[in-house]
Amino acid sequence: MEFRSREGEARYAAFVEQAASAVVGLDFDGTLSPIVEDPDQATIHPDAPDVLVGLAEVVAAIAVITGRPARQALALGGLDEVGRAIAERGKELYIFGQYGNERWSSTRRRIISPRPPQGLASFVRSLPGVLRRHDAEDAHVELKGLAVAVHTRRLPDADAAYERLLPPLRALAEEHDLVVEPGRQVIEIRSGGMDKGHAVRTIVEELDAQAFLFAGDDLGDVEAFDAVARLRDEGLATLLVCSGSDEQRALARLADVVVDGPEGVLELLRRITKDAAG
């Protein structure tokens, strides 16, 4: 674990002091779950359930804010059971799926979701032709219901394929009034008007949180980092955590703390739990 500056250390101390009224926001892939080639095979770190339940003893709420569908995050993370254990302690676990378009909580225990965006079905019909023309027809296409993600991780030169596909996929998305969300060797296409930053602001307002921590690992988390930075300017105690990635140095530069992947995230959460408990 590396504090980026003395200011980062001070922000950690201020967050711990306000822990009882704090919300901890966490990305899923690369933060709670190691990155794998097949996104359907991702699993939460085995220590995460116990760490999250322990953390719930000292904070107001925990929110998993992810690009994945909420139902998928619940299944891959065993988060339904984690939420049940957290609820037994009088606290709340939230899942904001698909960048905040879907919502689940350990109290309501059902997913609230809008209809798929207009234009997504026609985008999907045009997608195979774009992949074929740009020598990426073996890219893994993940249909999420409210979005579609094109993963280049399985291709021979994943980074080159990503750079090759980003411009045409962005152009195709614009034709269908959709937006592009770049990630770590994944390009996601979805409706506009909702992002992780909006989810951060929503939960802070609803819970009247006095402190907020967000941990993420790639460009899809920049909006959340920006939202937390604005909350800091408004007087909240905040902490920004980058789940370290050589691929996303830009996110690391925005962080107060850089940790070594999901293992490092859990180490930090254990430390917060211990320090906040006094």
Side-chain angles (χ1 to χ4, degrees), residues 255-277:
D256 299 310
V257 189
V258 177
V259 300
D260 187 14
E263 188 75 43
V265 171
L266 297 180
E267 178 187 349
L268 174 64
L269 298 182
R270 288 189 190 99
R271 178 173 170 179
I272 289 171
T273 303
K274 179 180 178 182
D275 290 348

Side-chain angles (χ1 to χ4, degrees), residues 1-5 8-9 12 239 256-258 268 271:
M1 182 171 66
E2 175 193 354
F3 286 103
R4 301 287 290 169
S5 64
E9 294 182 32
Y12 173 86
L239 193 69
D256 299 310
V257 189
V258 177
L268 174 64
R271 178 173 170 179

Side-chain angles (χ1 to χ4, degrees), residues 56 93 103 106 146 189 201 204 221 232 237:
L93 173 67
R103 183 165 173 173
S106 52
L146 300 179
I189 297 89
R201 292 188 294 273
V204 166
D221 299 309
R232 174 181 299 160

Side-chain angles (χ1 to χ4, degrees), residues 45-64:
H45 189 287
D47 293 343
D50 287 343
V51 172
L52 294 178
V53 173
L55 178 67
E57 299 275 7
V58 299
V59 300
I62 300 170
V64 176

Side-chain angles (χ1 to χ4, degrees), residues 159-178:
D159 291 333
Y162 178 95
E163 296 300 330
R164 199 164 60 243
L165 282 174
L166 186 57
L169 289 183
R170 194 185 298 278
L172 183 62
E174 289 176 356
E175 288 178 20
H176 295 88
D177 294 322
L178 302 170

